[in-house]
Amino acid sequence: MIQIYRYISIYITIMTFSVAVQPKIHFEVGLGFYGPEMKGFDDNIDVPFPNKSLFNRNLLPNFSIFYEFFHNARVGYSSYVSYEYGKANLQESQPVFKRAIRYRMLPIETYFRWRPRIELNFTLAPIWGRGRITMDTKPNDKYEDWNELLNSFGDEDPLSQLGGTDVMINDWFGYSGLIGVRYYLSPRTGIDLKFGFMHNGYKKDKWILQKNKVIGPDLSIKDLPLFTLKYNYALK
């Protein structure tokens, strides 16, 4: 009986020590892949947006930071970004458009070790999304260029005044679910592959420009499959 208690005591001590020395803070950098339809940009014949490509439509550079608050659970912050930059046309003096969509997440992740080097994980996260459109143009052409852009989105109410820094912004909320597998290259580093979905509550009539509510582009980002590949580094 004494030996049984001794074994139990040793086991509890080992488990407590192993949990205590597990890395608590994890950093991740990687690429995501998704397939949105951006008709407001791609099918727009009135405004010279950049041509769509794999880099400005489907790739999502991202980073994450996690804190392990329990021996098989983490909470953190993630940011996925889609960029698009236009090129200046000096001969035709056309405005240059820049577009960014950022998906900020607050994930909660649970996991278990299936093998010594293989981890299976499941992630749920609320999303705070933000779309941003800016334009580089001549001061004298500002009103005309911005109104031409809004008209191309279906907004026929012209703007009468603009500020020194003009940017269209749209915020929305959503959620995401991901299932993943992580292969540990070492106790501190690993490669993480996830697949799942994201749901975004984007609405084209919720854009704001200089405190004015305007109509923005048609974006089909409501329900999208999402794949991510990340490099993970853990700190104690």
Side-chain angles (χ1 to χ4, degrees):
M1 195 69 174
I2 296 177
Q3 285 184 331
I4 294 177
Y5 285 127
R6 183 179 301 171
Y7 288 139
I8 294 175
S9 177
I10 294 173
Y11 175 78
I12 293 175
T13 302
I14 293 175
M15 291 300 295
T16 302
F17 178 75
S18 63
V19 170
V21 299
Q22 281 184 341
K24 297 296 183 182
I25 300 176
H26 300 255
F27 294 97
E28 297 178 350
V29 292
L31 282 176
F33 183 85
Y34 76 149
E37 292 184 9
M38 300 186 179
K39 297 180 180 179
F41 299 112
D42 299 334
D43 299 338
N44 197 321
I45 61 175
D46 298 321
V47 177
F49 284 106
N51 294 328
K52 66 177 181 179
S53 68
L54 175 68
F55 298 99
N56 61 28
R57 285 293 182 274
N58 304 112
L59 293 185
L60 290 171
N62 59 81
F63 74 90
S64 303
I65 181 171
F66 284 90
Y67 176 75
E68 187 172 327
F69 65 94
F70 197 63
H71 71 274
N72 65 341
R74 311 180 185 107
V75 63
Y77 171 81
S78 300
S79 178
Y80 296 74
V81 185
S82 171
Y83 290 109
E84 184 174 5
Y85 294 101
K87 295 183 179 179
N89 190 331
L90 300 179
Q91 294 181 349
E92 299 183 10
S93 185
Q94 292 179 340
V96 179
F97 297 96
K98 301 177 183 178
R99 186 269 303 161
I101 300 178
R102 185 181 299 272
Y103 306 94
R104 289 164 286 197
M105 305 182 186
L106 297 175
I108 297 178
E109 184 174 274
T110 60
Y111 70 92
F112 71 95
R113 287 289 185 96
W114 183 45
R115 295 288 188 270
R117 285 181 175 266
I118 299 177
E119 169 192 304
L120 303 179
N121 50 61
F122 176 71
T123 306
L124 285 176
I127 297 175
W128 173 21
R130 167 167 286 191
R132 181 184 176 94
I133 300 175
T134 59
M135 179 195 305
D136 292 336
T137 185
K138 293 182 178 180
N140 295 335
D141 299 334
K142 180 186 298 185
Y143 294 100
E144 180 180 350
D145 289 338
W146 272 109
N147 282 319
E148 183 180 0
L149 172 66
L150 295 176
N151 289 339
S152 73
F153 294 149
D155 192 330
E156 298 179 356
D157 187 14
L159 295 174
S160 58
Q161 61 180 3
L162 290 170
T165 302
D166 304 310
V167 56
M168 287 178 60
I169 293 178
N170 188 331
D171 291 301
W172 65 85
F173 294 101
Y175 55 87
S176 174
L178 296 166
I179 297 175
V181 57
R182 179 177 300 176
Y183 180 79
Y184 283 91
L185 305 173
S186 71
R188 291 183 179 273
T189 61
I191 301 295
D192 192 278
L193 177 65
K194 287 183 171 64
F195 64 94
F197 72 94
M198 63 162 57
H199 176 91
N200 295 284
Y202 169 80
K203 295 182 179 180
K204 63 176 293 184
D205 59 350
K206 298 296 184 180
W207 287 84
I208 301 295
L209 174 60
Q210 288 293 324
K211 299 182 180 181
N212 299 304
K213 185 175 290 187
V214 297
I215 296 177
D218 285 319
L219 303 178
S220 298
I221 58 174
K222 184 176 181 180
D223 295 300
L224 294 174
L226 176 64
F227 302 88
T228 67
L229 179 63
K230 300 182 181 182
Y231 173 79
N232 176 276
Y233 181 77
L235 298 176
K236 285 189 178 181

